[in-house]
Amino acid sequence: MTGLREVTAFRAGVTRVLGLLMIVVSVALAAGCVLAFTSWLPANVSRYEDYRTAERCPANSTPDEWREDCLREIDLNIVDTVVRGGKGGEATVDGERFHGKLDFGDPGPLLDTLQEGDKAVGTVWRGDIVALTKGRIRQKTSDEPRDEPQMIAAGGAGLGLLAVTGLVFGAARLVAPRRPGPFTWSRSGKRLFFTNLAATFGVGLPAVWLGVPWQLVTPAIVAVVLGVDFFFRGIRSSAEAGAQ
């Protein structure tokens, strides 16, 4: 009898330790959520607005520093290109003020036509080459600011929901280590995790493609996760009632 009590006490202690670890991880996730909405998202919106309103540098001006707020064009030589099928690629370029690799999210319309020795014109903004032009063909690089705050908002919402879930599950293990109730991985944790993951991308990506305001992304993700959870809770309750 004493041995059984010791085993039970040991298991309860392990459960409490796991609950504490879940809370610690949840605090880190909550910090990521706060940073997403207070730092990353505002910085992304501000950078895009600055780029959208940037004017071309005066034609007779001499660049005093590399990180200018105006748009400047520089001549570049194509050293090498790498195309990764439908996943974009990179171009190695060389110029008077720049030598390095430019990443592209798509192989076309320009990257897959470039060859070693070609001449091109790079558009520079704040030290980054944001576009490459050859003749009449222009292609944006991966460094060009984009109006895509929706995915940052979606990521922040996903982190926030994970933090809340982890805090609740961790607290349940600290308070009632022997009877965590529904707050287990098999009963509701797995469902909440994968629903959250699916909602983050399932709402965030279409919001980017459709240009949905980022302010609507967070409530939409929360609504999806809560709606799916309530739906499956209803099914479980009905099944348990039927079994009785």
Side-chain angles (χ1 to χ4, degrees):
M1 192 71 175
T2 303
L4 180 60
R5 290 178 179 177
E6 292 178 350
V7 171
T8 302
F10 174 76
R11 290 179 177 176
V14 172
T15 301
R16 285 194 173 95
V17 171
L18 290 176
L20 182 61
L21 289 176
M22 291 178 68
I23 291 176
V24 171
V25 173
S26 298
V27 170
L29 293 174
C33 173
V34 172
L35 284 175
F37 286 104
T38 62
S39 179
W40 301 330
L41 194 149
N44 178 273
V45 172
S46 176
R47 185 170 185 264
Y48 174 76
E49 286 300 319
D50 290 344
Y51 174 70
R52 187 178 64 84
T53 58
E55 299 180 352
R56 293 193 174 277
C57 301
N60 57 353
S61 67
T62 302
D64 296 325
E65 57 182 17
W66 180 239
R67 302 190 66 82
E68 300 172 297
D69 282 325
C70 57
L71 300 172
R72 184 177 296 279
E73 294 185 342
I74 61 174
D75 294 326
L76 296 170
N77 299 313
I78 306 301
V79 178
D80 186 27
T81 61
V82 176
V83 178
R84 307 187 190 97
K87 299 181 180 179
E90 62 184 27
T92 303
V93 298
D94 181 51
E96 182 180 351
R97 302 179 62 212
F98 183 89
H99 178 82
K101 297 181 183 294
L102 304 178
D103 291 321
F104 295 86
D106 297 296
L110 179 60
L111 178 62
D112 54 6
T113 68
L114 294 175
Q115 298 180 357
E116 180 181 354
D118 284 350
K119 307 291 184 180
V121 176
T123 301
V124 183
W125 182 72
R126 290 186 179 178
D128 295 323
I129 295 181
V130 296
L132 195 64
T133 305
K134 179 188 174 187
R136 296 182 178 181
I137 305 177
R138 184 178 187 272
Q139 185 171 352
K140 304 172 183 178
T141 71
S142 298
D143 288 324
E144 185 193 52
R146 286 169 170 77
D147 185 22
E148 299 177 351
Q150 296 89 344
M151 276 308 301
I152 300 178
L159 289 175
L161 288 172
L162 283 178
V164 172
T165 303
L167 286 172
V168 172
F169 278 50
R173 281 161 173 72
L174 287 178
V175 175
R178 299 176 184 177
R179 295 181 179 179
F183 306 113
T184 62
W185 173 256
S186 60
R187 291 201 62 182
S188 60
K190 180 169 61 175
R191 181 179 66 248
L192 286 171
F193 176 81
F194 286 107
T195 301
N196 185 17
L197 187 64
T200 298
F201 291 95
V203 173
L205 289 177
V208 172
W209 301 332
L210 298 175
V212 176
W214 66 263
Q215 294 88 344
L216 300 178
V217 171
T218 297
I221 291 175
V222 173
V224 169
V225 173
L226 292 180
V228 171
D229 184 56
F230 287 144
F231 175 76
F232 281 102
R233 280 179 183 270
I235 292 179
R236 179 185 288 272
S237 298
S238 299
E240 291 177 350
Q244 294 176 357

